[in-house]
Amino acid sequence: MTTIQLSAPSIDPAEVAYFEGLAHRWWDPNGPFWPLHRLNELRSGYLRERLSGAFGLDPEAERPLEGLSLLDIGCGGGILSESMARLGARVTGIDVAAKNLRVAGLHAGWSGLDIAYRHAAVEDLAAAGESFDVVLNMEVVEHVEGLPNFLAACARLVRPGGLTAVATINRTPLAFLVAILGAEYVLGWLPKGTHHYRKLVKPAEVLSGLGPGFDLRHQTGVRVNPFNRSLHFSRFMGVNYMLLLQKAAG
């Protein structure tokens, strides 16, 4: 893969450098990305059920997302992209960190999965007029600059009638205590500096950024059991949450 320096306004060079420095650890379930591996088990089941229901597909089928085009924004090493590909979706994964994509491509090859990984920013795809049935924005929005413009570009990538899912951390005092101070500095579950409080995103900011053309189909909080590191859905959205939205068909 030829490395090209991307310059979209949503890209934070410090964030790119941070995740490129960890690229070789993406697929280590006991390494710095272990929370994503645990979270992936939860969110993959959620997406299987919710996307199948929204598109009138059978969630019990072996490949329930067969035929759907899906964009995984900020795909990293490909953890979620591979799960979606196994469910039958035609997956495109993009990331602004080239090293992540090299890891993702190698692992997909070892796994026998056909995933289109691209070194690109959402602005690039939006400018080219591309669109997808499903756009995933999972644990990404808290790492970008210029959130409203980033979300506006993401909104353009969802085809009319398509869906987008956003998962992130709420900007609340409790989230700071739990997700930053607790997870990074006390428990050491994440490397220090993974998250910055000013970049955390409230649900209303996601809805505003995507614009009035989207209807909220479902929302849920996610809680972590600190004793066994298990994750569960919750009605409380003050720390981690997921939103599923559908774009108007007109």
Side-chain angles (χ1 to χ4, degrees):
M1 177 186 297
T2 301
T3 300
I4 301 173
Q5 186 67 38
L6 301 179
S7 59
S10 64
I11 297 173
D12 183 338
E15 295 277 3
V16 175
Y18 175 83
F19 284 101
E20 284 205 329
L22 295 171
H24 64 292
R25 305 295 303 279
W26 273 105
W27 286 95
D28 179 359
N30 299 311
F33 292 111
W34 74 261
L36 284 183
H37 286 272
R38 295 287 181 90
L39 184 57
N40 190 57
E41 297 173 9
L42 190 73
R43 65 188 180 183
S44 293
Y46 175 87
L47 291 169
R48 177 180 192 141
E49 176 185 354
R50 294 290 168 179
L51 295 178
S52 297
F55 287 108
L57 303 171
D58 180 7
E60 301 303 321
E62 182 177 355
R63 293 167 59 84
L65 305 185
E66 191 82 56
L68 294 181
S69 60
L70 183 148
L71 175 66
D72 184 12
I73 297 172
C75 62
I79 297 172
L80 180 59
S81 291
E82 291 200 8
S83 293
M84 295 297 99
R86 288 190 175 92
L87 292 178
R90 188 170 66 256
V91 178
T92 298
I94 64 171
D95 204 288
V96 296
K99 288 183 180 179
N100 289 343
L101 295 170
R102 286 194 286 271
V103 172
L106 285 171
H107 198 275
W110 295 334
S111 303
L113 296 171
D114 183 14
I115 299 173
Y117 286 118
R118 297 164 60 181
H119 186 216
V122 293
E123 293 91 341
D124 300 327
L125 275 64
E130 299 190 43
S131 64
F132 302 83
D133 297 315
V134 180
V135 174
L136 301 183
N137 229 319
M138 315 299 271
E139 288 74 50
V140 175
V141 296
E142 71 271 27
H143 297 293
V144 305
E145 291 291 343
L147 181 66
N149 290 334
F150 173 82
L151 287 173
C154 294
R156 291 164 58 192
L157 294 173
V158 185
R159 69 148 173 89
L163 284 96
T164 185
V166 181
T168 189
I169 304 173
N170 208 337
R171 193 172 67 256
T172 64
L174 182 60
F176 171 77
L177 291 174
V178 173
I180 297 180
L181 185 62
E184 297 182 21
Y185 291 86
V186 177
L187 297 174
W189 285 358
L190 294 169
K192 295 176 182 178
T194 299
H195 297 105
H196 306 280
Y197 185 74
R198 72 172 181 87
K199 285 190 167 186
L200 303 186
V201 183
K202 292 180 176 292
E205 294 168 339
V206 174
L207 299 175
S208 174
L210 289 173
F214 286 83
D215 291 325
L216 182 63
R217 293 281 304 241
H218 191 262
Q219 61 183 6
T220 182
V222 177
R223 63 179 177 85
V224 182
N225 184 325
F227 300 103
N228 61 11
R229 297 184 173 185
S230 60
L231 289 89
H232 308 272
F233 293 119
S234 169
R235 292 182 180 179
F236 180 66
M237 296 173 55
V239 182
N240 297 285
Y241 67 90
M242 289 197 292
L243 307 175
L244 182 67
L245 306 104
Q246 186 165 26
K247 192 171 188 177

